[in-house]
Amino acid sequence: MPLLARSVQAPLHIHVRRGAVADLGRILADGRISAGGDVAVVVGPGLGERVVELIRPSLATADVFTTTGGTLDAALELAAKLRSRPYDAVVGIGGGTTVDAAKYAASRWGLPMISVATSLANDGIASPVASLVNDGIKGSYGVHIPFGVIVDLDFVDTGPDRVNRGGIGDAISNISALADWELAREIRGEPVDGLAASLARMGAEAILAMPGDLHDDAFVTVLAEALIASGLAMAVCGSSRPASGGCHEIMHAIDSLYPGTASHGELAGLGALFCTFLRGDERRFEQMAACLARHQLPRVPADVGLSSDQFVEAVHFAPRTRPDRYTILEHLDMTPDEISRKLEQYVEAVHR
């Protein structure tokens, strides 16, 4: 993960509610975002027509671009299109791949960017990071934090439950990431940003304690706010540290060794639970295991189709995905045999 530009500039607008997409014109009327109304709207291929129909009444003069998203080439192609005429702002509407492409393209030209999330798969909706595939390998690119973050609950409500459940796993993985950050402070003297840690922690704690599920607007609102707070935490400290530790090292290792296994959030939650077990934090382990089970998220390797040997290989490989990080995985420095024994104990503990 490249060092991010440290920024304490919070988004000018945060809206989590139904009907937000249709109200984009009023939100963009804020002169700090768009003084002249020349806006480029970026949508994904799946939502394009529906989104255009909703925004036209309030953004009649906007130019609409469709991007396949997901790759650095697609983001660069979009950036080239944004040079066709001067725009005041870029609005990215869709899932993570569309929003990340829009964030990257807007940052290329220093344009304000509004993130409009139609799903809650991970904390990328408000983060200063764009996850894009380049030459078959997913990389993380530092970008400007969005000037506004909008979550339209109407779109979230009609999206696949599995996609949105991933956001729950990503949100609670902050608990493990913060424990790793504190470990790095104790062992290596790494500085910990208190404000960033607080932002990352409060959303995770809220999800652990919040009743309800993805069919409950109150729960979905808390989830959206937790993911937004996680993105802000990264912007505050200029690093993904408050939201990425051993949990994400395991996720990246699985992505590298066994691509397509599961989503970002599903693997982050699984990795966080395993790292929490390695730490011996029984209270946190029980809280996180119960939360993942309640929301039907994976807790053991078999839940994502991995054998024990494959998971052991991924955990052993994980520290190489973030050589600059010090987490519980680097601290224990386990051999494959040691990881295998820990995994057996872990699976038994989960099933208890």
Side-chain angles (χ1 to χ4, degrees), residues 102-252:
K103 283 196 293 186
Y104 184 88
S107 292
R108 291 276 291 183
W109 310 121
L111 295 171
M113 186 270 179
I114 308 299
S115 171
V116 183
T118 57
S119 65
L120 297 174
N122 54 62
D123 58 15
I125 59 176
S127 75
V129 177
S131 296
L132 300 166
V133 177
N134 184 28
D135 291 332
I137 299 173
K138 180 173 283 189
S140 299
Y141 300 85
V143 296
H144 295 306
I145 188 171
F147 271 52
V149 183
I150 299 167
V151 179
D152 193 320
L153 299 184
D154 287 328
F155 281 90
V156 174
D157 193 38
T158 58
D161 273 0
R162 183 182 175 186
V163 172
N164 294 317
R165 280 201 302 269
I168 299 170
D170 201 29
I172 69 170
S173 74
N174 286 5
I175 297 293
S176 178
L178 291 169
D180 281 334
W181 203 6
E182 182 60 27
L183 177 65
R185 184 193 67 79
E186 294 174 1
I187 302 301
R188 299 203 310 186
E190 184 174 327
V192 172
D193 187 306
L195 175 58
S198 296
L199 285 168
R201 181 177 292 108
M202 68 180 184
E205 296 283 9
I207 294 301
L208 284 176
M210 184 72 182
D213 57 24
L214 291 169
H215 302 290
D216 175 1
D217 276 9
F219 178 84
V220 177
T221 299
V222 169
L223 174 58
E225 292 172 346
L227 296 174
I228 292 169
S230 184
L232 293 178
M234 289 185 265
V236 165
C237 70
S239 164
S240 62
R241 244 317 190 178
S244 175
C247 50
H248 280 59
E249 288 183 337
I250 292 173
M251 178 204 74
H252 289 302

